[in-house]
mmCIF file of all heavy atoms in Angstrom:
data_model
loop_
_atom_site.group_PDB
_atom_site.id
_atom_site.type_symbol
_atom_site.label_atom_id
_atom_site.label_comp_id
_atom_site.label_asym_id
_atom_site.label_seq_id
_atom_site.Cartn_x
_atom_site.Cartn_y
_atom_site.Cartn_z
ATOM 1 N N CYS A 312 -14.772 22.316 -4.149
ATOM 2 C CA CYS A 312 -15.878 22.727 -5.031
ATOM 3 C C CYS A 312 -16.435 24.073 -4.562
ATOM 4 O O CYS A 312 -16.435 24.364 -3.362
ATOM 5 C CB CYS A 312 -17.029 21.729 -4.969
ATOM 6 S SG CYS A 312 -16.569 20.073 -5.444
ATOM 7 N N GLY A 313 -16.971 24.819 -5.510
ATOM 8 C CA GLY A 313 -17.732 26.034 -5.192
ATOM 9 C C GLY A 313 -16.957 27.011 -4.331
ATOM 10 O O GLY A 313 -15.788 27.335 -4.586
ATOM 11 N N THR A 314 -17.618 27.467 -3.291
ATOM 12 C CA THR A 314 -17.012 28.466 -2.407
ATOM 13 C C THR A 314 -15.718 27.954 -1.792
ATOM 14 O O THR A 314 -14.745 28.706 -1.638
ATOM 15 C CB THR A 314 -18.029 28.842 -1.310
ATOM 16 O OG1 THR A 314 -19.069 29.587 -1.923
ATOM 17 C CG2 THR A 314 -17.406 29.652 -0.210
ATOM 18 N N ALA A 315 -15.685 26.675 -1.435
ATOM 19 C CA ALA A 315 -14.473 26.118 -0.826
ATOM 20 C C ALA A 315 -13.310 26.209 -1.816
ATOM 21 O O ALA A 315 -12.163 26.489 -1.433
ATOM 22 C CB ALA A 315 -14.729 24.676 -0.413
ATOM 23 N N SER A 359 -13.542 21.312 2.417
ATOM 24 C CA SER A 359 -14.980 21.071 2.323
ATOM 25 C C SER A 359 -15.643 21.434 3.635
ATOM 26 O O SER A 359 -15.328 20.841 4.675
ATOM 27 C CB SER A 359 -15.262 19.602 1.994
ATOM 28 O OG SER A 359 -16.651 19.368 2.015
ATOM 29 N N GLN A 360 -16.504 22.435 3.595
ATOM 30 C CA GLN A 360 -17.244 22.818 4.795
ATOM 31 C C GLN A 360 -17.927 21.606 5.391
ATOM 32 O O GLN A 360 -17.740 21.266 6.554
ATOM 33 C CB GLN A 360 -18.265 23.895 4.420
ATOM 34 C CG GLN A 360 -19.012 24.543 5.583
ATOM 35 C CD GLN A 360 -20.086 23.678 6.203
ATOM 36 O OE1 GLN A 360 -20.147 23.512 7.437
ATOM 37 N NE2 GLN A 360 -20.945 23.097 5.397
ATOM 38 N N SER A 361 -18.738 20.935 4.578
ATOM 39 C CA SER A 361 -19.539 19.812 5.067
ATOM 40 C C SER A 361 -18.697 18.562 5.283
ATOM 41 O O SER A 361 -19.028 17.707 6.103
ATOM 42 C CB SER A 361 -20.628 19.481 4.047
ATOM 43 O OG SER A 361 -20.034 19.054 2.837
ATOM 44 N N THR A 364 -18.868 16.356 0.458
ATOM 45 C CA THR A 364 -19.044 16.602 -0.977
ATOM 46 C C THR A 364 -18.459 15.436 -1.788
ATOM 47 O O THR A 364 -17.257 15.133 -1.680
ATOM 48 C CB THR A 364 -18.381 17.944 -1.351
ATOM 49 O OG1 THR A 364 -19.034 18.947 -0.589
ATOM 50 C CG2 THR A 364 -18.518 18.250 -2.823
ATOM 51 N N VAL A 410 -27.676 27.656 2.768
ATOM 52 C CA VAL A 410 -27.061 26.990 1.610
ATOM 53 C C VAL A 410 -25.868 27.817 1.099
ATOM 54 O O VAL A 410 -24.817 27.264 0.762
ATOM 55 C CB VAL A 410 -28.110 26.762 0.503
ATOM 56 C CG1 VAL A 410 -27.438 26.405 -0.810
ATOM 57 C CG2 VAL A 410 -29.064 25.646 0.922
ATOM 58 N N ALA A 411 -26.029 29.119 1.065
ATOM 59 C CA ALA A 411 -24.921 29.968 0.608
ATOM 60 C C ALA A 411 -23.867 30.052 1.706
ATOM 61 O O ALA A 411 -24.147 30.492 2.820
ATOM 62 C CB ALA A 411 -25.432 31.357 0.256
ATOM 63 N N SER A 412 -22.685 29.651 1.364
ATOM 64 C CA SER A 412 -21.614 29.595 2.356
ATOM 65 C C SER A 412 -21.011 30.974 2.576
ATOM 66 O O SER A 412 -20.666 31.673 1.625
ATOM 67 C CB SER A 412 -20.552 28.638 1.827
ATOM 68 O OG SER A 412 -19.559 28.452 2.782
ATOM 69 N N LEU A 496 -20.548 34.213 -7.416
ATOM 70 C CA LEU A 496 -21.256 32.966 -7.084
ATOM 71 C C LEU A 496 -22.345 33.234 -6.045
ATOM 72 O O LEU A 496 -23.475 32.759 -6.171
ATOM 73 C CB LEU A 496 -20.255 31.930 -6.545
ATOM 74 C CG LEU A 496 -20.873 30.634 -6.015
ATOM 75 C CD1 LEU A 496 -21.537 29.840 -7.128
ATOM 76 C CD2 LEU A 496 -19.828 29.758 -5.330
ATOM 77 N N LYS A 497 -21.990 34.049 -5.037
ATOM 78 C CA LYS A 497 -22.957 34.358 -3.980
ATOM 79 C C LYS A 497 -24.183 35.032 -4.579
ATOM 80 O O LYS A 497 -25.319 34.692 -4.262
ATOM 81 C CB LYS A 497 -22.281 35.291 -2.967
ATOM 82 C CG LYS A 497 -22.582 35.061 -1.554
ATOM 83 C CD LYS A 497 -21.815 33.952 -0.863
ATOM 84 C CE LYS A 497 -21.913 32.607 -1.494
ATOM 85 N NZ LYS A 497 -21.011 31.613 -1.020
ATOM 86 N N GLU A 500 -26.328 32.558 -6.771
ATOM 87 C CA GLU A 500 -27.026 31.448 -6.118
ATOM 88 C C GLU A 500 -28.218 31.880 -5.280
ATOM 89 O O GLU A 500 -29.171 31.122 -5.152
ATOM 90 C CB GLU A 500 -26.068 30.537 -5.338
ATOM 91 C CG GLU A 500 -25.471 31.075 -4.076
ATOM 92 C CD GLU A 500 -24.587 30.037 -3.360
ATOM 93 O OE1 GLU A 500 -24.884 28.836 -3.397
ATOM 94 O OE2 GLU A 500 -23.606 30.449 -2.742
ATOM 95 N N VAL A 615 -23.569 18.513 -1.204
ATOM 96 C CA VAL A 615 -23.743 17.871 -2.493
ATOM 97 C C VAL A 615 -23.092 16.480 -2.427
ATOM 98 O O VAL A 615 -21.938 16.301 -2.798
ATOM 99 C CB VAL A 615 -23.159 18.741 -3.624
ATOM 100 C CG1 VAL A 615 -23.467 18.125 -4.987
ATOM 101 C CG2 VAL A 615 -23.747 20.134 -3.554
HETATM 102 C C1 LIG B 17 -21.549 27.989 -1.603
HETATM 103 O O1 LIG B 17 -22.322 29.096 -1.346
HETATM 104 C C2 LIG B 17 -22.201 26.862 -2.234
HETATM 105 N N1 LIG B 17 -23.449 26.575 -1.707
HETATM 106 C C3 LIG B 17 -21.346 25.715 -2.701
HETATM 107 O O2 LIG B 17 -20.562 26.230 -3.735
HETATM 108 C C4 LIG B 17 -20.417 24.973 -1.701
HETATM 109 O O3 LIG B 17 -19.390 25.807 -1.281
HETATM 110 C C5 LIG B 17 -19.885 23.718 -2.394
HETATM 111 O O4 LIG B 17 -20.949 22.879 -2.717
HETATM 112 C C6 LIG B 17 -18.860 22.968 -1.568
HETATM 113 O O5 LIG B 17 -19.410 22.487 -0.373
HETATM 114 P P1 LIG B 17 -18.492 21.902 0.755
HETATM 115 O O6 LIG B 17 -17.620 23.020 1.248
HETATM 116 O O7 LIG B 17 -19.419 21.416 1.819
HETATM 117 O O8 LIG B 17 -17.665 20.811 0.165
#
Side-chain angles (χ1 to χ4, degrees):
C312 301
T314 290
S359 175
Q360 187 285 130
S361 63
T364 300
V410 166
S412 185
L496 174 66
K497 219 81 304 169
E500 71 177 326
V615 186

